Amino acid sequence: MTDQWIPPSQKRRGHNLAALGIPSGRYPLPDATEYLTTPEGNREGAARVDAWVRREADLDSLQPAETEFLRQHFLRCVEEQRQKSIAYFETKVPRRYLSARPNPVAAAWAQAVVANPDDTRSLLVVGPTGTGKTHYAYAVLRAIAETGAATGWAAYTAADLYAQLRPRAGRDSEATFESIAGSDVLFVDDLAAAKLTEWTEEVTYRLINHRYEQCRPAIFTSNVPPTQLRDVLGERIASRLTEMCERVALKGDDRRKGMAA
Ligand SMILES: Nc1ncnc2c1ncn2[C@@H]1O[C@H](COP(=O)(O)OP(=O)(O)OP(=O)(O)O)[C@@H](O)[C@H]1O
Ligand SMILES: [Mg+2]
């Protein structure tokens, strides 16, 4: 079978949501007849909206009130998606980090990930015990939810990740690996908290290498000082982390000490 050449004039056009100021995503399309219920609604306008919905006309062919009708429809969809993403986040986040809120830097990273998932460096959050690394990472995940984009995420401590991936009778650990490695945004907490064995090093390498090769964003935390990452994680992993990650260094005392009653 040969590919058929389709003249540009006959190609199906996508909906230009950016021109409406709407972030790209999959949203339900409006019902053009609803335009009739708006103050400016009329049959000709509804027909033009319908032509746009069916991708038979560009935004240029619409009157301002019709464009505004579309914009308001998609703004409602974005808000609905945002509420759903936040509700999902709040059911999944560990209770302790439910109150974590992003600072402007974390929020900017989330915006970048949503806009350019393949072109945003991952995050490596480092700092001594109790400085707020896990808190920071969950705040970033909340920021992603708050954008309203349909960006999925998965969060694991490294120890839980190894437990999930350990080969077990009756379980396809390779399928589990693929589903974890393929998450839109992957958060691995406490990398190198325990000394790596040959097996955990191999799993960590495969996972990080997958994200590295596919240019997919991830968030890693570790309390291993950056100068010791090579010794603890090995050359192959540390080298990839250095290239693919922006480092966020948290400083200060162990916050848990201040919280003790
Ligand atoms: N910015 C913050 N505002 C308020 N509380 C915070 C903040 N950052 C961290 N905390 C709180 O401080 C405690 C320690 O934070 P967290 O668990 O994130 O530390 P950590 O660096 O991940 O520690 P570890 O290295 O042991 O994993 C938690 O109770 C957390 O909720
Ligand atoms: Mg932590």
Side-chain angles (χ1 to χ4, degrees):
M1 203 171 99
T2 55
D3 284 341
Q4 192 189 349
W5 184 76
I6 303 171
S9 59
Q10 285 178 25
K11 274 192 182 164
R12 267 166 77 84
R13 281 169 289 203
H15 289 115
N16 188 356
L17 296 178
L20 287 168
I22 302 294
S24 59
R26 286 194 196 166
Y27 308 107
L29 291 166
D31 175 352
T33 58
E34 276 174 23
Y35 179 65
L36 294 170
T37 65
T38 65
E40 298 87 352
N42 57 57
R43 294 206 165 277
E44 297 73 42
R48 283 190 290 269
V49 169
D50 190 46
W52 182 86
V53 167
R54 286 186 285 109
R55 297 198 188 116
E56 287 166 3
D58 285 329
L59 275 180
D60 301 346
S61 62
L62 304 187
Q63 299 289 312
E66 295 146 21
T67 308
E68 188 54 20
F69 165 78
L70 289 174
R71 210 173 69 83
Q72 291 302 329
H73 166 83
F74 288 110
L75 282 177
R76 281 194 299 278
C77 295
V78 169
E79 183 53 23
E80 224 167 81
Q81 176 64 48
R82 203 176 83 85
Q83 295 299 339
K84 273 192 208 156
S85 302
I86 294 172
Y88 175 79
F89 173 82
E90 289 184 345
T91 62
K92 293 286 176 191
V93 61
R95 234 180 125 66
R96 180 161 306 282
Y97 303 109
L98 187 55
S99 63
R101 292 293 182 278
N103 65 22
V105 177
W109 188 83
Q111 290 283 354
V113 159
V114 164
N116 288 308
D118 305 336
D119 198 18
T120 304
R121 293 181 84 202
S122 295
L123 290 183
L124 176 59
V125 187
V126 293
T129 298
T131 46
K133 300 178 294 296
T134 307
H135 184 102
Y136 189 96
Y138 276 110
V140 171
L141 293 178
R142 173 180 279 275
I144 291 174
E146 284 178 352
T147 64
T151 302
W153 56 274
Y156 296 89
T157 63
D160 285 347
L161 192 72
Y162 302 141
Q164 289 265 336
L165 295 174
R166 212 163 269 288
R168 238 176 294 169
R171 219 164 125 180
D172 185 353
S173 50
E174 208 43 44
T176 310
F177 176 89
E178 273 164 31
S179 113
I180 294 171
S183 321
D184 289 346
V185 177
L186 175 66
F187 165 34
V188 182
D189 199 14
D190 258 338
L191 207 52
K195 193 162 167 40
L196 295 187
T197 64
E198 205 175 305
W199 183 80
T200 55
E201 182 175 341
E202 196 52 31
V203 168
T204 311
Y205 168 75
R206 281 190 65 205
L207 193 68
I208 289 176
N209 189 49
H210 182 92
R211 306 297 297 190
Y212 173 81
E213 287 189 341
Q214 302 301 322
C215 301
R216 311 289 304 274
I219 308 168
F220 304 102
T221 73
S222 184
N223 57 10
V224 174
T227 51
Q228 289 171 31
L229 270 182
R230 276 193 153 65
D231 291 342
V232 180
L233 291 170
E235 186 71 31
R236 295 182 305 169
I237 298 173
S239 157
R240 281 165 179 73
L241 284 177
T242 305
E243 183 185 341
M244 73 198 270
C245 293
E246 210 170 280
R247 197 178 297 159
V248 177
L250 299 183
K251 298 189 174 80
D253 297 330
D254 182 346
R255 286 172 175 266
R256 295 188 189 109
K257 284 188 188 151
M259 289 172 186

